[in-house]
Amino acid sequence: IFFALLYSSAVAKYIPDIWLLVNPVFKGAAWGVVLWFVSGIFYVPFYLKEGFMLSHIHPLAWLTSLKVHIVYGLMVGWIAPVT
């Protein structure tokens, strides 16, 4: 909930309106990719101790994590359509 509120109150207005990101749903997907990247670089290796981009779990675990973050971002962009 925190990241959805952060997106709708502060971040969405700074995501540039380029190419496909004109649609608020795709802006949310871009936010999901940003969250995935930040979590894979900082949260997962240092807090969860699962390696860079979940490398200690499975070689393709990063792909599943990316899909989940994109779907989360699509939902956030759909529910909170900030333009």
Side-chain angles (χ1 to χ4, degrees), residues 33-46 51-55 62 65 69:
V33 171
V34 167
L35 289 178
W36 167 75
F37 185 74
V38 170
S39 72
I41 299 292
F42 298 108
Y43 180 74
V44 172
F46 297 116
F52 177 72
M53 294 288 186
L54 299 170
S55 61
W62 65 270
S65 176
H69 279 88

Side-chain angles (χ1 to χ4, degrees), residues 4 7-8 11 13 17-18 24 26 29-30 32 40 44 46 50-55 58 60 62 72:
Y7 169 80
S8 64
V11 175
K13 58 186 170 187
D17 291 335
I18 55 171
F26 293 121
V44 172
F46 297 116
E50 294 296 343
F52 177 72
M53 294 288 186
L54 299 170
S55 61
H58 190 274
L60 293 177
W62 65 270
Y72 169 78

Side-chain angles (χ1 to χ4, degrees), residues 11-23 27 30:
V11 175
K13 58 186 170 187
Y14 295 111
I15 297 176
D17 291 335
I18 55 171
W19 197 46
L20 288 175
L21 297 181
V22 175
N23 189 338
K27 275 188 168 186

